[in-house]
Amino acid sequence: MRAMPAALVLALAMPPAMAQAPAASGWEAQAAAWAPALTACLAGQGRAMVVEAWAEGAALTARLLLPEGGRQDCLVRGGAVLARAPAGPKRPGEGLRAFMMERRCVDAWRVVDATGREVGWLAYPGCG
C-alpha cells in the first residue's frame, strides 16, 4: 500500500466546516473585516443574506436578498443601520457569493476574524 501525500491526508482530515474561503477578489474578500456591518444589516431580517457589499467613504452598503426573494440595500456606519431601501440596479457580479450568519449548506466557507472567531459563512445564494 502506498503512503498518501501529507497534503492529501490534511485535506481529508479537515472537516468542511473548518475550510476557509478561497482567495477572493470581490467584496467577499472583505467579509471578515466588514462582518460587524453585514451582521447589523442582517439583524431582524430573518434568513436574509448579503449578496453584494461596497464601501462609500466611512459607510458601507450591503445588498440583501430577503427570504421572500426581494432585494434591499442597507446603509450602515459604525455598526448602526442608517437606512434601508429597495435595492438599486443589479451590480456586476452581484449574487456570485452570499454572506450569511449560519451555515446552510455543506460547501459553505467559514468566515473568521483576526482572532479566529467565527463571524459568518460565505456560500452561493442558492445555499440558503
Side-chain angles (χ1 to χ4, degrees), residues 27-120:
W27 69 270
E28 65 273 15
Q30 299 297 318
W34 291 352
L38 302 178
T39 300
C41 284
L42 290 170
Q45 300 300 305
R47 290 179 53 90
M49 59 185 77
V50 177
V51 292
E52 180 72 32
W54 60 95
E56 298 179 17
L60 179 88
T61 298
R63 169 106 3 115
L64 305 184
L65 178 60
L66 302 172
E68 70 278 355
R71 295 167 42 248
Q72 177 188 88
D73 285 346
C74 171
L75 181 65
V76 63
R77 182 174 40 224
V81 173
L82 303 176
R84 294 183 185 274
K90 193 167 184 171
R91 295 171 53 95
E94 179 181 321
L96 296 178
R97 291 278 181 253
F99 176 85
M100 54 201 74
M101 297 309 303
E102 69 279 340
R103 184 177 185 208
R104 299 184 193 169
C105 55
V106 72
D107 54 354
W109 303 294
R110 207 167 66 120
V111 178
V112 297
D113 65 13
T115 68
R117 184 177 62 94
E118 180 183 301
V119 294

